[in-house]
Amino acid sequence: MLTPFLNSPVDSVYEYRANQQLRDIMETAIKNITIDLKTETIKKSRPYTLKIIKTQKEYEKLLTYWNEDNILLEKLKGIE
């Protein structure tokens, strides 16, 4: 169900309107896999909507590591 959303380079938010049991199942499934998504429940109307938002936390973490590695490489070059 989420495949088109996850594969989309332009969509960053998916709204899943369903009863609480189905929303809970979806939220649990998202939390049990390694993926950059966060969720929040919108309680404006019934059934509530589970808002699924793409994040870039993993990318930002890896970019930080890459930058730290580059700094270390530059220091090593200076030792030669």
Side-chain angles (χ1 to χ4, degrees), residues 24-79:
D24 288 346
I25 291 169
M26 176 70 78
E27 199 163 15
T28 300
I30 289 170
K31 288 179 181 178
N32 287 333
I33 58 174
T34 304
I35 193 165
D36 283 343
L37 296 176
K38 72 176 186 175
T39 60
E40 58 186 56
T41 302
I42 300 171
K43 299 179 179 180
K44 288 186 178 179
S45 63
R46 297 242 183 218
Y48 293 161
T49 301
L50 181 65
K51 187 175 184 180
I52 304 167
I53 305 154
K54 289 181 186 176
T55 68
Q56 298 221 355
K57 287 182 182 181
E58 185 66 20
Y59 168 79
E60 290 167 358
K61 181 174 80 173
L62 293 173
L63 183 60
T64 300
Y65 293 155
W66 185 82
N67 285 328
E68 290 170 357
D69 288 347
N70 277 332
I71 291 169
L72 290 173
L73 285 172
E74 289 300 319
K75 288 180 180 178
L76 287 174
K77 286 180 186 176
I79 292 175

Side-chain angles (χ1 to χ4, degrees), residues 1-8 14 16 26 30 35 37 52:
M1 174 189 327
L2 289 178
T3 301
F5 166 66
L6 294 173
N7 290 333
S8 171
Y14 180 82
Y16 179 61
M26 176 70 78
I30 289 170
I35 193 165
L37 296 176
I52 304 167

